[in-house]
Amino acid sequence: MPATILVGAHWGDEGKGRVVDEFAAKADVVARFGGGDNAGHTVYADGKVFKFHLLPSGVLHEQTACVLGNGMVINPVNLLKEIDSLASTGVDISPKRLLISTRAHIISPAHIALDKAAEKARGDKAIGTTLRGIGPAYLDKAARQGIRAGLMSDTEEFAEALHDAVERANHVLSQQNMELLDAHESAVTYIEAAERLKPYLCETSVYINQRLREGARVLCEGAQGTMLDVDHGDYPYVTSSSSIAGGALTGLGFGPLYVDRVIGIAKAFSSRVGAGPMPTELNDEIGDRLRGTGENFWDEFGTTTGRRRRCGWLDGVILHYAAQLNGFSELYLTKLDVLSGLKEVKIAVAYEIDGKRYDFPPTMISDLERAKPILETLPGWEEDVSGIRHEADLPAAARTYIQRIADLCETPVRTVSVGPARNQVVALA
Ligand code: GDP
Ligand code: IMO
Ligand code: MG
């Protein structure tokens, strides 16, 4: 395993954190390649729930080096909070094992204010962003006026860049009659954070290439999901980065020939948080049942924002699309346990839009908004599967469901998880 890429097959929250944690046990390097603290990745280990927003989810395995790649947008204040909180639990998070790309971009207070302003201006077309400043930070990057993490090593220049960014933001905020930022006040904590983060800065692409040449096993951790990808997702209801497998190469800076495994992480049903079309969404008791009440940490409430996630039947159209876009070598299906007790389970195998059948999501959002799922119904299973560890012990109906997913996506399902804990995993032949 030189490089393995793990990505979400739907709209995020597929359970990437738990899968990365599992694979990290056998990895040398775990690297995030895109997004920022819009991500919320949960790992349940040794009876504790960890939520990672910027740190790679493999960080609990102390043999791993953890990389925040050049494709990321990083809020230095929030990163430090995460580092400090994890360090307080006894995990080593020193610059020896955490490397921040000098080429990653910084999320400044200006970006956060602009994210809020843009959402407000969108009115009923709001995307429902995480309000972490993600879009404005990538916008500045593409406009070639962003602040790269490397600038943190020069406090004076960093402070000046923050100041300029706030001035630019205030210009926009004043046009929208929104509260202006105090350039000095909002920069202070950022400058303090930058001071502390200096030792972590590194040319991570050079580092990763060197490790790959030496034969190290590199795990690339996707954030968000295929349908939130800025090119291939359901634009404009997407994030602002490349969240598909291809993004790992640009977001970390190494070549495709190192990749020998691309794992698609899919949930056994669909969920989405924020606005945008979701053809299989269920606004009924089954939707509520899939979501859970919020009593359990694994129920469908946002890891980052606490928002209630929209839930529905598994969207096989999107899964098939994701399998192609990412070139999945295999699928990892999570949360199979949640389907136990349903009389029947359904999968969308195509859409119908204005009487026409679609096997792939259409480009235009107005078409996708009108898509009606063509659902295939399969028998459900009563048994609680959370204690199952061997394929042969899975109920026959669950095996049929898994096989149908594999057939639909033309991709083998190699693993299913049946609970959030590390050992609640069933390997499939
Ligand atoms: P991510 O963003 O893709 O890492 O996913 P999140 O962490 O935001 O959300 C997935 C949730 O499902 C987390 O609370 C996980 O602990 C939980 N989870 C993952 N796999 C399973 C599983 O097989 N069964 C159950 N019940 N929960 C799971
Ligand atoms: P993980 O890594 C689920 C969604 C937001 C919104 C849209 C744009 O935990 O799977 P942004 O703040 O990125 O500009 O928001 O994308 N979104 C996510 N949804 N999981 C995530 O991350 C997400 N990151 C962004 O809800 O609809
Ligand atoms: Mg999440």
Side-chain angles (χ1 to χ4, degrees):
M1 175 181 91
T4 294
I5 303 175
L6 293 112
V7 285
H10 286 133
W11 286 280
D13 302 328
E14 297 88 351
K16 296 176 294 296
R18 72 92 40 86
V19 181
V20 170
D21 170 66
E22 179 185 330
F23 280 76
K26 290 192 182 139
D28 301 303
V29 179
V30 186
R32 275 274 308 267
F33 59 83
D37 59 342
N38 48 350
H41 296 175
T42 313
V43 176
Y44 182 50
D46 306 325
K48 274 192 252 160
V49 180
F50 297 87
K51 295 184 179 193
F52 300 116
H53 300 284
L54 287 160
L55 292 175
S57 304
V59 70
L60 298 178
H61 298 274
E62 297 212 7
Q63 90 287 356
T64 57
C66 293
V67 172
L68 305 188
N70 57 275
M72 290 187 73
V73 284
I74 299 172
N75 178 320
V77 175
N78 290 349
L79 175 59
L80 264 184
K81 278 191 199 145
E82 214 172 313
I83 291 175
D84 288 344
S85 138
L86 195 59
S88 73
T89 70
V91 178
D92 166 32
I93 198 87
S94 66
K96 259 195 233 124
R97 65 178 296 246
L98 177 67
L99 299 92
I100 304 171
S101 170
T102 45
R103 292 169 196 267
H105 276 248
I106 293 294
I107 294 188
S108 72
H111 294 135
I112 296 170
L114 290 172
D115 198 356
K116 285 184 191 141
E119 280 289 83
K120 192 170 162 223
R122 285 180 194 117
D124 61 4
K125 290 208 169 63
I127 295 167
T129 74
T130 58
L131 301 178
R132 295 295 189 272
I134 305 294
Y138 279 115
L139 189 63
D140 271 352
K141 172 180 170 177
R144 295 154 296 178
Q145 58 187 22
I147 305 174
R148 297 211 291 185
L151 207 62
M152 292 196 292
S153 58
D154 184 328
T155 308
E156 223 167 90
E157 272 200 51
F158 183 64
E160 202 176 300
L162 281 177
H163 184 271
D164 291 352
V166 168
E167 296 274 284
R168 269 201 312 274
N170 275 344
H171 184 65
V172 177
L173 296 174
S174 69
Q175 286 172 338
Q176 288 191 30
N177 293 326
M178 289 186 72
E179 201 182 328
L180 302 190
L181 295 167
D182 178 317
H184 176 70
E185 197 187 315
S186 58
V188 173
T189 49
Y190 279 70
I191 293 164
E192 281 167 11
E195 276 296 314
R196 283 189 56 200
L197 290 173
K198 272 183 200 173
Y200 294 90
L201 293 169
C202 168
E203 284 276 6
T204 52
S205 157
V206 174
Y207 170 80
I208 287 179
N209 277 282
Q210 186 189 331
R211 297 297 311 267
L212 282 167
R213 276 199 304 277
E214 290 163 7
R217 293 159 304 176
V218 175
L219 207 59
C220 310
E221 173 179 357
Q224 289 73 56
T226 300
M227 288 308 283
L228 293 175
D229 182 272
V230 67
D231 287 282
H232 300 283
D234 43 12
Y235 191 93
Y237 296 100
V238 293
T239 191
S240 301
S241 62
S242 295
S243 49
I244 62 167
L249 305 178
T250 48
L252 292 172
F254 68 91
L257 294 181
Y258 279 115
V259 182
D260 69 347
R261 213 170 163 191
V262 183
I263 303 175
I265 303 161
K267 198 144 60 183
F269 52 94
S270 296
S271 76
R272 171 164 212 174
V273 61
M278 181 178 173
T280 63
E281 181 172 10
L282 292 170
N283 289 307
D284 60 10
E285 70 282 3
I286 295 181
D288 290 341
R289 162 86 167 55
L290 296 173
R291 182 179 310 107
T293 55
E295 258 166 86
N296 306 305
F297 71 83
W298 61 83
D299 288 345
E300 297 294 339
F301 292 82
T303 312
T304 299
T305 56
R307 288 179 295 175
R308 182 178 177 274
R309 295 177 186 153
R310 301 152 65 192
C311 293
W313 296 120
L314 183 72
D315 192 327
V317 181
I318 278 168
L319 211 50
H320 189 201
Y321 177 61
Q324 296 200 6
L325 284 173
N326 294 286
F328 293 151
S329 51
E330 65 194 83
L331 278 170
Y332 189 124
L333 197 65
T334 62
K335 294 193 95 166
L336 189 73
D337 51 302
V338 173
L339 298 185
S340 285
L342 292 173
K343 264 200 190 59
E344 44 189 33
V345 283
K346 299 186 186 185
I347 306 179
V349 295
Y351 298 147
E352 195 219 289
I353 304 170
D354 303 335
K356 205 172 140 209
R357 184 186 165 105
Y358 283 70
D359 293 317
F360 289 99
T363 302
M364 301 312 291
I365 204 74
S366 53
D367 291 335
L368 194 56
E369 274 163 348
R370 293 197 315 285
K372 293 193 185 66
I374 299 175
L375 295 167
E376 197 171 286
T377 304
L378 286 86
W381 56 94
E382 274 304 320
E383 298 90 328
D384 172 7
V385 296
S386 61
I388 292 176
R389 301 290 177 267
H390 302 287
E391 183 176 5
D393 298 331
L394 286 170
R399 276 186 280 156
T400 305
Y401 183 65
I402 296 165
Q403 190 53 51
R404 184 67 187 112
I405 293 168
D407 292 345
L408 256 178
C409 303
E410 304 174 275
T411 309
V413 180
R414 290 269 179 250
T415 322
V416 295
S417 65
V418 292
R422 280 177 164 170
N423 67 345
Q424 288 183 293
V425 166
V426 182
L428 307 180

